[in-house]
């Protein structure tokens, strides 16, 4: 049995002073509604431990857990006191089984069965309740009661060099947060753009890929992914429930012309795309690149052309 443990910490601190003035009879008067001063500290500490063991020379079992301590402290006194503090500890277990299913010289395919739990934290702008006026009919404000978003993932995949060439799985996400637009409680003619937790979702996905692995003069990969999203939540007190599927197609090609000169092409196309709770029209992109290396790869020159068909439209 092999044990492994580790620690990680990240710390950031920043402050902002934004002063706004209004000209009145050749005098500058402080705009007390928009002027704001704040300080923000974020400290995230994590510790993990895992154990792995190989059975029957091929089957690898790995079990572990990660504990994360989140400390977010926002302090604002101008124009109003909107200070908040988040101090919490979360546990994230994970487990996976893997086994080699095909091996030829340096080429190996491995199968994985995985369970893991992850977190997506709101940032300071989402949490800070300070008001920012967009125009006379709309203002923006954060939501200090916004909860982090947790996802449980179950997946089976077949991978080459830790890159999945086939995968099927499900994501169970709770406390989904998204940008929302509500009506102001005090004035129905004014709307507020903020963030809120809208509910939960189940995402079922399938991903497949075929191609020629790297090593020769030419390689390519062609793949597709299908996502089926099922949402269950509330928006402004009303039920928000729907099911929607979308496809994504992608490809990559690399041709070694001569020496260290490489020509690349990559592209994707998304049908019935989705970004959060926004529905997108069909769109995609096709890109080309030419790369040349010199001095044993210590110097590289690259020329890239993106979206050459001008199809990156939403």
């Amino acid at each position: 049995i092999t044990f492994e443990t580790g620690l990680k910490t990240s710390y950031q601190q920043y402050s902002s002073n934004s002063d706004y003035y209004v000209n009145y009879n050749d005098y500058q008067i402080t705009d007390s509604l928009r002027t704001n001063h704040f300080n923000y500290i974020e400290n995230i500490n994590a510790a993990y431990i895992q154990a792995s063991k190989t059975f029957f020379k091929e089957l690898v079992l790995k079990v572990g857990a990660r504990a994360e301590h989140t400390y977010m402290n926002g302090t604002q006194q101008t124009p109003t006191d909107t200070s908040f503090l988040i101090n919490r500890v979360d546990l994230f277990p994970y487990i996976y089984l893997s086994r080699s299913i095909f091996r030829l010289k340096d080429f190996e395919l491995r199968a994985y069965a995985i369970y893991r739990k992850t977190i997506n934290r709101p940032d300071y702008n989402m949490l800070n309740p300070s008001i920012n006026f967009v125009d006379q009919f709309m203002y923006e404000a954060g939501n200090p009661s916004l909860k982090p978003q947790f996802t449980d993932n179950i997946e089976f995949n077949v991978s080459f060099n830790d890159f999945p060439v086939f995968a099927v799985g499900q994501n169970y996400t709770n406390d989904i947060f998204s940008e929302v637009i509500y009506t102001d409680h005090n004035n129905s003619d004014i709307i507020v753009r903020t963030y809120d937790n809208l509910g939960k979702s189940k995402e079922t996905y399938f991903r497949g890929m075929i191609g020629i692995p790297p090593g020769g003069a030419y390689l390519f990969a062609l793949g597709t992914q299908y996502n089926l999203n099922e949402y269950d939540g509330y928006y402004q007190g009303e039920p928000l429930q729907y099911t929607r599927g979308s496809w994504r197609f992608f490809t990559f090609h690399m041709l070694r012309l001569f020496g260290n000169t490489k020509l690349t092409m990559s592209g994707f196309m998304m049908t019935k795309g989705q970004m959060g709770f926004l529905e997108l029209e069909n769109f995609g992109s096709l890109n080309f690149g030419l790369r040349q290396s010199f001095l044993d790869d210590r110097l590289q020159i690259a020329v890239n052309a993106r979206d050459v068909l001008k199809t990156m439209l939403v």
Side-chain angles (χ1 to χ4, degrees), residues 4-183:
E4 181 180 337
T5 186
L7 300 172
K8 180 180 180 180
T9 184
S10 65
Y11 178 87
Q12 63 174 328
Q13 178 179 359
Y14 62 89
S15 60
S16 173
N17 296 313
S18 300
D19 297 313
Y20 291 85
Y21 300 93
V22 177
N23 290 324
Y24 182 76
N25 291 336
D26 296 329
Y27 290 96
Q28 282 193 336
I29 302 174
T30 300
D31 187 341
S32 59
L33 291 177
R34 292 194 295 170
T35 294
N36 68 82
H37 304 153
F38 68 83
N39 295 300
Y40 177 64
I41 296 175
E42 180 181 286
N43 180 216
I44 299 176
N45 305 295
Y48 79 93
I49 184 172
Q50 66 182 27
S52 61
K53 182 175 176 57
T54 302
F55 298 91
F56 312 114
K57 298 182 180 181
E58 290 287 348
L59 186 65
V60 178
L61 172 66
K62 183 176 291 187
V63 180
R66 187 179 76 259
E68 289 193 4
H69 169 240
T70 301
Y71 179 85
M72 296 179 174
N73 187 4
T75 306
Q76 176 173 284
Q77 300 298 331
T78 304
T80 57
D81 185 357
T82 58
S83 304
F84 65 88
L85 175 65
I86 296 176
N87 190 7
R88 58 182 295 158
V89 176
D90 299 292
L91 185 66
F92 303 94
Y94 58 91
I95 180 173
Y96 81 73
L97 283 167
S98 72
R99 188 184 188 282
S100 176
I101 58 175
F102 179 79
R103 182 182 296 140
L104 179 62
K105 294 183 179 180
D106 295 331
F107 181 84
E108 182 185 28
L109 288 177
R110 294 191 68 88
Y112 293 85
I114 304 170
Y115 165 78
R116 56 200 163 201
K117 184 177 182 179
T118 57
I119 185 174
N120 185 12
R121 300 179 181 84
D123 59 26
Y124 179 76
N125 291 329
M126 297 180 180
L127 297 168
N128 183 16
S130 177
I131 293 176
N132 176 40
F133 287 93
V134 178
D135 53 41
Q136 63 266 39
F137 302 109
M138 176 188 288
Y139 68 88
E140 299 172 330
N143 180 2
S145 62
L146 199 63
K147 300 177 184 178
Q149 180 176 299
F150 293 95
T151 300
D152 292 278
N153 171 250
I154 301 173
E155 178 179 294
F156 170 79
N157 71 59
V158 177
S159 300
F160 168 71
N161 284 346
D162 295 327
F163 185 83
V165 296
F166 168 83
V168 60
Q170 286 187 328
N171 290 316
Y172 299 89
T173 304
N174 294 300
D175 294 324
I176 299 172
F177 58 77
S178 175
E179 185 178 72
V180 294
I181 295 179
Y182 292 153
T183 302

Side-chain angles (χ1 to χ4, degrees), residues 182 197-199 232-241:
Y182 292 153
N197 296 104
L198 299 182
D232 182 12
Y234 290 88
Y235 186 81
Q236 287 189 311
E238 297 293 331
L240 174 65
Q241 297 175 330

Side-chain angles (χ1 to χ4, degrees), residues 232-286:
D232 182 12
Y234 290 88
Y235 186 81
Q236 287 189 311
E238 297 293 331
L240 174 65
Q241 297 175 330
Y242 68 90
T243 300
R244 191 171 187 279
S246 64
W247 284 94
R248 181 185 180 98
F249 304 92
F250 52 91
T251 185
F252 177 80
H253 301 257
M254 192 277 290
L255 175 63
R256 192 185 304 274
L257 297 178
F258 45 84
N260 295 321
T261 305
K262 298 177 182 177
L263 177 65
T264 62
M265 183 186 76
S266 64
F268 79 93
M269 179 179 179
M270 182 176 290
T271 64
K272 297 183 178 180
Q274 189 169 346
M275 181 181 297
F277 289 92
L278 299 178
E279 181 176 312
L280 308 177
E281 295 181 355
N282 299 341
F283 69 99
S285 177
L286 185 64

